[in-house]
C-alpha cells in the first residue's frame, strides 16, 4: 500500500476532513497510476476521490475501539525516531 496513506482512526483530535480527503486522493492516485489525470480522465478521477473520501469518513465514524485514543504529537515523535534509526 502507499506509504503516504496514514492511519486516521483512534487519534485525538480526530481526523480532519482535509486528512480524509488527502488519504482518498493518495488511494485513487495509487489505484489509477495517475499523479494528475489527463483532461479525459479528470472527471472520473475526481469522482473516485469524492466517493472514496465519503466512504472513508463513514468507516471512521462507524469504527469502535476500547483502546485509548493515540496522541498525534507522540505518534509523530515515534515516527521521527524510527526514521532517524532507519536512515541515520
Amino acid at each position: 500500500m502507499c506509504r503516504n496513506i496514514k492511519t486516521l482512526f483512534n487519534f485525538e483530535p480526530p481526523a480532519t476532513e482535509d486528512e480524509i480527503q488527502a488519504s482518498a486522493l493518495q488511494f485513487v492516485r495509487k489505484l489509477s497510476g495517475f499523479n494528475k489525470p489527463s483532461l479525459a480522465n479528470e472527471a472520473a478521477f475526481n469522482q473516485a476521490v469524492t466517493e472514496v473520501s465519503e466512504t472513508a469518513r463513514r468507516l471512521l465514524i462507524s469504527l469502535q475501539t476500547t483502546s485509548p485514543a493515540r496522541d498525534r504529537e507522540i505518534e509523530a515523535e515515534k515516527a521521527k525516531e524510527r526514521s532517524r534509526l532507519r536512515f541515520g
Side-chain angles (χ1 to χ4, degrees):
M1 187 46 69
C2 186
R3 291 181 186 172
N4 293 331
I5 298 175
K6 306 294 184 211
T7 301
L8 299 178
F9 177 62
N10 198 26
F11 277 100
E12 192 58 47
T16 65
E17 289 298 315
D18 288 343
E19 289 173 317
I20 294 170
Q21 181 75 16
S23 182
L25 176 61
Q26 287 296 329
F27 183 72
V28 172
R29 283 178 174 168
K30 186 70 169 185
L31 286 178
S32 68
F34 301 137
N35 188 35
K36 183 175 183 209
S38 65
L39 288 177
N41 293 318
E42 188 172 25
F45 185 91
N46 290 338
Q47 180 64 32
V49 171
T50 299
E51 291 176 10
V52 169
S53 182
E54 290 169 0
T55 301
R57 188 177 312 101
R58 285 194 306 273
L59 173 65
L60 291 172
I61 290 168
S62 67
L63 292 174
Q64 298 178 15
T65 185
T66 57
S67 298
R70 294 175 283 179
D71 184 282
R72 290 180 181 278
E73 292 179 17
I74 292 171
E75 294 300 320
E77 287 299 320
K78 288 180 186 177
K80 286 178 187 175
E81 180 63 17
R82 284 190 304 269
S83 179
R84 187 188 66 74
L85 292 172
R86 182 174 180 194
F87 300 111

